Amino acid sequence: MSQPDKTGVDHPAHDPHTPEPVQSEDEAATIAEAGILGRAINAVGIVFAIGIIASALILLNEVVLRYGFNSPTIWAHETTIFLCAMAFVYGGLYCVVRNSHIRVVLIYDLVTGRAKRILDAIISLICLFAAGFFAWAAYGMVIKATMRPGGGVHFETSGSAWDPPFPAYLKIFLLVVLGLMVVQFVIMAVNYLRGAFASEAGK
């Protein structure tokens, strides 16, 4: 629709320069179906946000040391890559509990009420099996990254001059995150189904 101004010229009712609505605190919080585990995952997210800031500071320090004092470090780049990789891996789990992952809503937006909760449960179960499959694959990577072929523990390293065991740490962390994701999807599926049938019983 359009609305005429004092000059009689029609203008769109919605001002294109009006800022988009800001997401409220409630909309940005953990969804109720995620339960206690979801709230804990959401709270821990700040640790990885701080890691991103730390990686930026480390890179800034490296630039100053390299170009200001001609004294570069051997640990800055690998540390920043590790911190950012940890944050990205955790980001998937973080998005799950906040229901902020990307989805195709062609069918999803057509249903409401009980049907939508059942669909949410089905989606959670599908994601559960996907996360379980990737966790199983990650377990194989962890074994290779932490065990010698002949037996004994040996963490995989980067192979650089510094040679930290970041590759092994990252693979272990990936397995832990995928395991938590499996548990989280189980909790969400159960809570979605409870909500669907509880709302139906209350009618």
Side-chain angles (χ1 to χ4, degrees):
M1 292 182 62
S2 60
Q3 297 176 344
D5 61 10
K6 294 181 179 179
T7 63
V9 179
D10 288 345
H11 292 283
H14 174 67
D15 186 354
H17 299 293
T18 302
E20 292 295 325
V22 179
Q23 192 177 38
S24 68
E25 184 177 351
D26 289 340
E27 291 173 331
T30 310
I31 59 174
E33 290 80 7
I36 297 175
L37 177 60
R39 292 193 292 273
I41 290 170
N42 183 69
V44 174
I46 188 64
V47 174
F48 298 92
I50 293 172
I52 294 290
I53 297 174
S55 67
L57 295 176
I58 290 171
L59 282 180
L60 178 61
N61 176 71
E62 176 68 8
V63 169
V64 172
L65 290 178
R66 179 181 294 271
Y67 298 104
F69 299 94
N70 194 28
S71 180
T73 68
I74 63 172
W75 55 268
H77 293 294
E78 287 182 289
T79 302
T80 55
I81 290 172
F82 175 69
L83 290 174
C84 290
M86 294 278 283
F88 282 121
V89 168
Y90 193 81
L93 182 60
Y94 188 77
C95 287
V96 167
V97 302
R98 296 166 70 94
N99 199 30
S100 57
H101 53 280
I102 298 173
R103 73 174 82 198
V104 178
V105 295
L106 182 63
I107 298 175
Y108 187 81
D109 283 351
L110 298 178
V111 297
T112 58
R114 182 189 182 203
K116 176 166 276 192
R117 286 185 173 274
I118 293 175
L119 185 57
D120 282 327
I122 293 172
I123 293 171
S124 296
L125 290 174
I126 293 172
C127 292
L128 160 66
F129 287 113
F133 174 80
F134 285 116
W136 175 77
Y139 175 75
M141 291 194 304
V142 168
I143 294 300
K144 291 180 180 179
T146 58
M147 303 295 293
R148 295 182 184 275
V153 177
H154 176 73
F155 281 22
E156 178 185 358
T157 58
S158 65
S160 66
W162 186 33
D163 203 28
F166 286 163
Y169 292 163
L170 186 59
K171 291 174 182 178
I172 294 171
F173 182 67
L174 176 60
L175 176 59
V176 172
V177 166
L178 288 170
L180 288 173
M181 196 175 288
V182 168
V183 176
Q184 185 62 75
F185 279 126
V186 170
I187 294 172
M188 290 169 61
V190 170
N191 286 336
Y192 278 127
L193 289 174
R194 282 179 177 173
F197 292 104
S199 61
E200 184 69 13
K203 290 182 180 180

